[in-house]
Amino acid sequence: MAYTEFKRKIDGGDADYIYLFEGEEVFLKENAIVALKDKFVAFADLDFVSIDGEDLSIEGILPLV
């Protein structure tokens, strides 16, 4: 999904439960995370998990689900 489509979707209040941001555009990825938090997360410390994929494994994700 393109960033503009993603932004239009969350601005309309329609978000999915999980997003995977990939690519070289660090600025857009960081802005997307901020936009999600601002729009949907009331208590970021309790309701939001961000995982850096560089060291990611399936074993690292399962405890979070």
Side-chain angles (χ1 to χ4, degrees):
M1 164 185 325
Y3 179 80
T4 53
E5 182 182 345
F6 163 79
K7 189 75 167 115
R8 187 174 29 248
K9 189 172 181 177
I10 65 165
D11 286 346
D14 182 27
D16 296 319
Y17 288 103
I18 297 174
Y19 284 96
L20 171 65
F21 298 107
E22 65 174 346
E24 297 178 13
E25 295 291 336
V26 175
F27 177 77
L28 293 179
K29 291 187 286 186
E30 289 175 353
N31 280 347
I33 291 169
V34 169
L36 281 170
K37 283 175 139 179
D38 289 348
K39 184 76 175 183
F40 298 107
V41 180
F43 302 101
D45 293 340
L46 301 175
D47 297 335
F48 184 82
V49 176
S50 179
I51 304 168
D52 185 350
E54 216 167 285
D55 300 318
L56 187 63
S57 68
I58 192 68
E59 291 82 18
I61 295 175
L62 291 177
L64 301 173
V65 177

